[in-house]
Amino acid sequence: MVRTMVTSFLKSVKPTSSFLWDRLHISPHVITTCADTTQSMYCQLLCGLLERDNVARLGAPFASSFLKVIKFLEDHWPEFCSNIRTGHLSDWITDPQCVSGIGKFLTAPDPELASLIEQECSQTSWEAIVRRLWPKAKCIETIITGTMAQYIPLLEFYSGGLPLTSSFYGSSECFMGVNFNPLCKPCDVSYTIISCMGYFEFLEVEKDHQEAGHDPTAKPVVVDLVDVKIGHDYEPVVTTFSGLYRYRVGDVLRATGFYNNAPHFRFVGRQKVVLSIDMDKTYEEDLLKAVTNAKRLLEPHDLMLMDFTSRVDSSSFPGHYVLYWELGSKVKDSRLEPNSDVMEECCFTVEESLDAVYRKGRKNDKNIGPLEIKVVKPGAFDKLMNFFLSRGSSVSQYKTPRSVTIEEAWKILEANVESEFLSRKIPSWELHELHSGR
């Protein structure tokens, strides 16, 4: 049977051994395997609130998934308080697994707990809401590397300083590595490859993708596990016990050191060009760095970048990059009115952060138009997710695409645009930059 890693893991827990799961998790196994994800999420959160003093760790497969749980809590906290205050589960929870699983927790009215949760959730800011609701929690465990790194500021805002741990590196193809230092800073996370999980080879990837004199017809270099070089970038190629033979995973990993003969790797991103108009090639890593630099300009205005994606608009000449940003506020119920000067500076900062080939195309060759940021309504990225789920994507495995090429997808975003901003300044470019790697 072919299925995603998270589903495979949950389904591998047999009913006869589910008691082991229930000893380690607040939510019973029957709730986590409920087919209705909305009912399952509601009941898992309700269990967590009812057992708030016993919660030592919170988490989700991806940082973006955890933030969706926080948003779900924000939307449903009055209903949770009502359930806890009355001791009765909401009528719309009808799944037998959820009803039976929650039964041993929601046994009697608890108005004191309901009032405490209401007091915390009704404050004007949700800063540190996780620590306030779960005071004995020690960490948040979720994937925060690669494309998930852009959500770290949001996690830090909601968590109130709880450590963010990224414990392992795996994929649906193969479990690959473990983080031996889980309490390290998010920017320092490296995974040590566990060699017995499969046979690993590594396809060398040019770190900056656009080195001068590169021959595109050259045969890629494949090295064995023990022959990787520190500081070099690689795409893992796996041969697994499940039957995959020399399968290219598509990730980009940077070698950072060794534990005995097993190399440490930092997850860089996906081996994929996300934006390109002419000679420019903007990779996922490049785009993430540029957006990270730009979104710092929002912080003095109590604004946060909740999510983003991009596309190339070639409807006019020259074509240009379009970024879709969904903004949030650090202050509850405040109006989201981004300042035009700030947003135009964000556009310029993104362009300044991209590589020399892009900036040359903007300034000298004039074959790339000014970058545009379109601010979309809150909830626009939920609609985008629902679109991809309707096409067969998995809820547990869904990640916001960093570029949208499907017309139906970007039209969903276009229908939710609230304001548009263009880069008014032209980024700098020096001839020597093109020949110095970056």
Side-chain angles (χ1 to χ4, degrees):
M1 182 179 293
V2 176
R3 55 193 181 193
T4 62
M5 184 180 71
V6 174
T7 300
S8 180
F9 173 72
L10 290 173
K11 293 290 187 181
S12 68
V13 179
K14 305 299 181 185
T16 54
S17 59
S18 61
F19 73 93
L20 294 173
W21 171 281
D22 295 346
R23 287 180 61 185
L24 296 173
H25 300 82
I26 295 295
S27 302
H29 184 255
V30 291
I31 291 180
T32 59
T33 53
C34 169
D36 188 319
T37 54
T38 304
Q39 292 192 48
S40 176
M41 187 185 297
Y42 185 91
C43 290
Q44 287 184 64
L45 271 171
L46 183 55
C47 288
L49 292 170
L50 289 165
E51 294 289 309
R52 64 188 294 265
D53 289 330
N54 294 320
V55 174
R57 175 176 56 94
L58 298 98
F62 300 105
S64 58
S65 309
F66 190 82
L67 291 172
K68 285 181 173 59
V69 174
I70 297 295
K71 180 63 168 61
F72 189 90
L73 176 63
E74 190 173 1
D75 292 340
H76 291 83
W77 70 261
E79 190 175 357
F80 287 129
C81 291
S82 175
N83 289 174
I84 296 170
R85 182 171 284 112
T86 62
H88 292 290
L89 189 63
S90 297
D91 292 338
W92 65 274
I93 304 294
T94 57
D95 185 90
Q97 289 183 225
C98 288
V99 173
S100 65
I102 202 74
K104 68 177 184 178
F105 297 97
L106 193 63
T107 56
D110 192 343
E112 184 179 349
L113 176 59
S115 297
L116 187 151
I117 295 170
E118 185 177 41
Q119 178 183 344
E120 296 295 348
C121 292
S122 59
Q123 292 187 23
T124 55
S125 174
W126 267 43
E127 186 172 4
I129 190 65
V130 173
R131 186 183 284 276
R132 288 191 274 128
L133 289 178
W134 291 281
K136 295 184 179 179
K138 303 299 183 186
C139 68
I140 294 175
E141 185 173 8
T142 186
I143 294 172
I144 50 174
T145 51
T147 186
M148 293 296 131
Q150 80 106 3
Y151 300 111
I152 291 172
L154 289 173
L155 289 174
E156 291 175 337
F157 174 78
Y158 288 118
S159 71
L162 284 175
L164 306 177
T165 65
S166 195
S167 301
F168 64 88
Y169 168 47
S171 66
S172 294
E173 296 84 15
C174 182
F175 184 90
M176 299 187 195
V178 172
N179 178 8
F180 283 169
N181 185 19
L183 294 178
C184 66
K185 294 179 180 179
C187 60
D188 295 330
V189 171
S190 288
Y191 305 100
T192 303
I193 298 297
I194 307 300
S195 58
C196 61
M197 302 306 296
Y199 184 77
F200 298 100
E201 299 170 281
F202 296 89
L203 191 64
E204 190 149 10
V205 176
E206 290 183 357
K207 184 185 300 183
D208 296 320
H209 306 294
Q210 299 187 37
E211 294 179 1
H214 169 62
D215 180 6
T217 63
K219 188 176 180 180
V221 178
V222 180
V223 299
D224 287 323
L225 183 72
V226 296
D227 295 324
V228 301
K229 297 178 180 178
I230 295 175
H232 287 226
D233 289 359
Y234 300 93
E235 178 185 357
V237 179
V238 300
T239 299
T240 71
F241 299 103
S242 302
L244 294 179
Y245 177 71
R246 303 197 86 186
Y247 185 93
R248 293 179 61 169
V249 175
D251 295 343
V252 178
L253 308 178
R254 183 164 299 159
T256 58
F258 283 86
Y259 179 84
N260 294 332
N261 289 329
H264 302 301
F265 286 100
R266 181 170 71 83
F267 186 94
V268 174
R270 296 286 292 173
Q271 173 68 342
K272 180 184 178 183
V273 175
V274 291
L275 296 170
S276 180
I277 293 174
D278 190 68
M279 296 294 290
D280 56 299
K281 288 182 174 60
T282 299
Y283 287 76
E284 186 178 89
E285 179 191 9
D286 305 324
L287 183 60
L288 285 170
K289 286 180 179 178
V291 171
T292 298
N293 290 337
K295 70 181 181 182
R296 294 192 182 103
L297 301 175
L298 302 174
E299 293 176 3
H301 306 276
D302 287 335
L303 293 176
M304 303 182 293
L305 179 61
M306 308 302 290
D307 217 335
F308 81 94
T309 189
S310 63
R311 74 179 180 97
V312 168
D313 186 348
S314 301
S315 60
S316 59
F317 183 83
H320 67 286
Y321 291 2
V322 178
L323 304 185
Y324 297 94
W325 283 18
E326 182 176 323
L327 301 180
S329 175
K330 294 182 179 180
V331 181
K332 195 176 180 183
D333 298 327
S334 64
R335 297 185 65 183
L336 293 173
E337 295 182 351
N339 180 282
S340 59
D341 292 337
V342 173
M343 294 306 298
E344 288 174 15
E345 191 64 27
C346 286
C347 295
F348 175 69
T349 301
V350 171
E351 292 199 301
E352 278 281 276
S353 302
L354 296 177
D355 65 17
V357 176
Y358 173 89
R359 287 181 280 123
K360 178 176 181 292
R362 274 281 284 121
K363 183 174 182 178
N364 289 39
D365 301 339
K366 311 291 186 189
N367 54 19
I368 302 175
L371 181 138
E372 185 176 18
I373 291 178
K374 296 186 177 185
V375 177
V376 297
K377 300 175 184 176
F381 278 83
D382 289 337
K383 295 177 181 177
L384 183 68
M385 179 183 71
N386 291 335
F387 167 75
F388 283 106
L389 295 182
S390 70
R391 292 165 59 94
S393 294
S394 164
V395 174
S396 65
Q397 293 289 297
Y398 176 78
K399 311 177 194 71
T400 300
R402 290 300 162 226
S403 68
V404 285
T405 55
I406 302 173
E407 185 176 356
E408 294 172 83
W410 60 257
K411 280 188 173 181
I412 291 172
L413 296 171
E414 285 290 335
N416 287 273
V417 170
E418 287 189 318
S419 51
E420 304 175 17
F421 306 93
L422 279 172
S423 181
R424 302 293 180 185
K425 295 187 285 186
I426 297 176
S428 61
W429 177 75
E430 298 292 340
L431 182 63
H432 74 270
E433 291 185 43
L434 183 60
H435 299 289
S436 62
R438 209 53 166 168

